[in-house]
Amino acid sequence: MTLDRFSLRGRTAVVTGAAGMLGREHCFALGEAGADIVATDLDQGACEELARELASRDIRSVGVAADITDKAALERLRDAAITRFGRLDVLVNNAAIDDKFDPGSDLEASRFENYSLERWRRSVDVNLTGTFLSCQVLGAEMARRRRGCIVNVASTYGIVAPDQSLYVGPDGRQRFFKSAAYPATKAAVLALSRYLAAYWGSAGVRVNALSPGGVEAGQDAHFLENYSKRTPLGRMARRDEYRGALVFLASDASSYLTGSNLVVDGGWTAW
């Protein structure tokens, strides 16, 4: 009976940023728990390829491209999900921009004093406004149906400030600075999640956040060593280590949980 509460069989889940590293993991996690998957990202070809991979695992899925900063595109996404599967139960707001700077050559551009307004606005547009619009369009459909679950993917950097010493090279020189835009927008996502949890609680829609820590994905040995020293579990996450947390938040296993932030970071924020 307990394990049955983790089942998503008969439910439809929309995952934004589905073609990315963690987006793919989210799709497979929810699909393997029984959900039908609507995989969405900017590129239609990438969405369709992911849908084919999911289908190869006997997961019912469809790939639908959408720009989450475009309300009309999200309305088309909502309609496509309902047309294909007849319902909408879970929304995972995973799409986001995390600034990338070329080590060394972009040092000055990455400084807070020099950080461009264009970069700032783009991060706010995608990370915060995109999450807002996705909740507004797809969450409103859940509220109309009196049932649903939203998981907004935040970050440990929405809880604590970036440790800029992680971005110092083995020569002792700062390679770049982590920008203010990512932590600021992710902190705002946490606040939005709490707001919506209170706003839609009476409509049967639960809203929670998932704050992952860093994922090992080809970083250089110096960075990996420094990050691991900073983490109680002594390593970065594997890309599949958020699957269980996501299924918990999306399923009836967390039926009395809303307005919360589930932190899965190897202990990063514990000290």
Side-chain angles (χ1 to χ4, degrees):
M1 290 292 291
T2 298
L3 290 179
D4 288 345
R5 297 187 65 81
F6 288 87
S7 173
L8 294 171
R9 191 165 304 281
R11 300 184 189 178
T12 299
V14 175
V15 180
T16 72
M21 177 181 67
L22 288 185
R24 291 172 55 85
E25 295 293 330
H26 298 335
C27 288
F28 279 101
L30 298 173
E32 288 170 3
D36 299 326
I37 304 299
V38 181
T40 187
D41 213 306
L42 288 171
D43 182 78
Q44 180 64 31
C47 293
E48 291 175 354
E49 174 60 28
L50 176 54
R52 285 192 290 270
E53 291 183 41
L54 291 163
S56 72
R57 303 273 193 92
D58 295 323
I59 297 170
R60 294 208 311 168
S61 59
V62 63
V64 182
D67 179 351
I68 62 169
T69 67
D70 181 344
K71 186 173 183 177
L74 288 167
E75 290 169 344
R76 291 191 294 271
L77 172 66
R78 175 201 60 203
D79 294 345
I82 294 170
T83 297
R84 177 66 176 83
F85 296 117
R87 56 188 296 158
L88 179 57
D89 303 280
V90 178
L91 168 62
V92 180
N93 280 312
N94 171 72
I97 288 177
D98 186 4
D99 278 324
K100 303 300 180 186
F101 290 99
D102 183 57
S105 64
D106 285 344
L107 174 61
E108 290 305 311
S110 72
R111 291 184 184 275
F112 177 78
E113 295 85 348
N114 302 326
Y115 189 75
S116 73
L117 185 57
E118 180 183 5
R119 279 182 178 267
W120 172 268
R121 285 176 170 162
R122 181 59 178 159
S123 291
V124 171
D125 201 26
V126 174
N127 298 2
L128 181 55
T129 305
T131 300
F132 162 82
L133 287 173
S134 296
C135 289
Q136 188 178 66
V137 173
L138 285 84
E141 177 65 22
M142 295 179 190
R144 188 182 70 80
R145 293 169 180 255
R146 312 294 297 179
R147 179 183 176 87
C149 173
I150 299 172
V151 181
N152 292 324
V153 179
S155 169
T156 53
Y157 279 169
I159 306 167
V160 297
D163 182 352
Q164 302 292 0
S165 69
L166 285 175
Y167 312 108
V168 173
D171 60 359
R173 297 181 179 181
Q174 191 79 35
R175 296 187 293 180
F176 62 90
F177 292 94
K178 190 74 173 179
S179 80
Y182 189 74
T185 53
K186 289 302 187 179
V189 165
L190 293 175
L192 177 63
S193 300
R194 291 190 293 270
Y195 172 87
L196 290 174
Y199 183 79
W200 273 331
S202 61
V205 178
R206 297 187 299 109
V207 186
N208 292 292
L210 171 62
S211 287
V215 180
E216 186 171 352
Q219 297 92 338
D220 64 73
H222 181 72
F223 178 86
L224 289 173
E225 180 182 4
N226 285 343
Y227 190 101
S228 298
K229 287 178 179 178
R230 178 70 173 71
T231 308
L233 288 186
R235 61 179 178 83
M236 298 190 79
R238 296 186 301 271
R239 63 185 61 191
D240 64 349
E241 288 190 293
Y242 302 110
R243 289 189 175 199
L246 180 63
V247 171
F248 167 69
L249 290 175
S251 69
D252 288 344
S254 61
S255 58
Y256 196 58
L257 187 72
T258 197
S260 294
N261 177 30
L262 180 55
V263 182
V264 185
D265 65 351
W268 175 273
T269 55
W271 56 13

